[in-house]
Amino acid sequence: MELDFDVMSAAQRFAFLTGAVVPRPIALISTLNPAGDCNAAPYTFFGLAGSDPPVVSVTVFPTADNRMKDTAANILRVNEFVVNLVSEELAGAMNVTCIDAPAGVSELQLAGLTSAPSVKIATPRIAQSPISLECVLHSIVPLGAKQSIILGRIVYAHIRDEFLLDAKAPLIDTPAMHLIGGMHGTSWYTRTADLFSMDRPVWSDWIKQGKASS
């Protein structure tokens, strides 16, 4: 079967892409609302965009009634945000922050999460997150009506002490964090405990083993 994206509806494209491109890391993004309170919402259209400069990318979609989401509006207003990574122990709390609560309701309070001060920006991080990345707005790439890719430059990172093996490297005990990822549909997630390792091939070894074709 072949699919022509130009004739598919937005809902069909979303269903296909979220089922095909998996797992997706989860950014539980904290921002400051106009009242100065901390807002939190999870995004799985998220990833690394570079290391020099260090940049993360987050795609923000409009709401069901075609309004700009609070996360995007807050970032545009203050030019900063925090990416908080999500462990398995935070899965339930992360899910609560998805709730369609009215304006003025704190998702962090509903989810039982605690905000903590950031160092280089005013926006708080989430204390329970294994890793939090303080970001300043690098640029925005408009994709359509109220849909954009937000690029944030990482200016500071927080990691819980138990997950740092070597501060100089810095070497992280990644498996110990038990991070989760987004899967198909709107309610499926995956654990990251089932791992395997492969050494990257080296051309000189490939030649020695006679694997290169003439």
Side-chain angles (χ1 to χ4, degrees):
M1 182 177 181
E2 298 178 353
L3 301 173
D4 185 347
F5 270 47
D6 289 334
V7 299
M8 295 168 67
S9 69
Q12 289 173 323
R13 292 192 294 266
F14 182 86
F16 179 84
L17 290 173
T18 55
V21 183
V22 294
R24 299 181 306 281
I26 302 171
L28 182 54
I29 298 180
S30 50
T31 57
L32 282 176
N33 66 22
D37 299 321
C38 188
N39 173 276
Y43 292 85
T44 64
F45 280 56
F46 155 71
L48 289 175
S51 60
D52 189 18
V55 174
V56 293
S57 65
V58 182
T59 300
V60 179
F61 296 92
T63 61
D65 56 357
N66 205 35
R67 292 182 296 106
M68 180 180 288
K69 286 191 174 180
D70 291 343
T71 297
N74 292 340
I75 292 173
L76 289 175
R77 191 183 65 261
V78 300
N79 294 325
E80 62 181 43
F81 59 99
V82 180
V83 168
N84 303 278
L85 299 184
V86 180
S87 63
E88 188 177 349
E89 68 175 337
L90 294 181
M94 177 274 297
N95 193 46
V96 171
T97 65
C98 296
I99 194 169
D100 56 342
V105 174
S106 170
E107 296 91 352
L108 263 68
Q109 186 175 359
L110 290 177
L113 295 171
T114 307
S115 63
S118 293
V119 173
K120 288 193 172 182
I121 63 176
T123 301
R125 59 191 174 90
I126 295 175
Q128 293 93 331
S129 177
I131 290 182
S132 296
L133 307 173
E134 297 181 22
C135 301
V136 296
L137 182 62
H138 178 279
S139 56
I140 294 181
V141 182
L143 299 179
K146 299 181 178 64
Q147 178 184 325
S148 301
I149 298 175
I150 295 175
L151 298 174
R153 180 170 61 86
I154 304 168
V155 295
Y156 206 86
H158 303 259
I159 179 170
R160 283 165 48 183
D161 290 342
E162 63 264 37
F163 302 130
L164 188 61
L165 297 175
D166 181 350
K168 291 183 179 180
L171 184 62
I172 296 173
D173 188 356
T174 303
M177 291 191 291
H178 299 292
L179 298 179
I180 61 173
M183 291 292 289
H184 53 290
T186 58
S187 61
W188 287 96
Y189 298 88
T190 185
R191 300 177 177 88
T192 54
D194 186 11
L195 308 177
F196 64 94
S197 175
M198 294 189 294
D199 294 328
R200 182 176 297 183
V202 177
W203 180 250
S204 58
D205 293 339
W206 195 269
I207 293 294
K208 290 177 183 178
Q209 295 169 10
K211 293 183 179 180
S213 58
S214 56

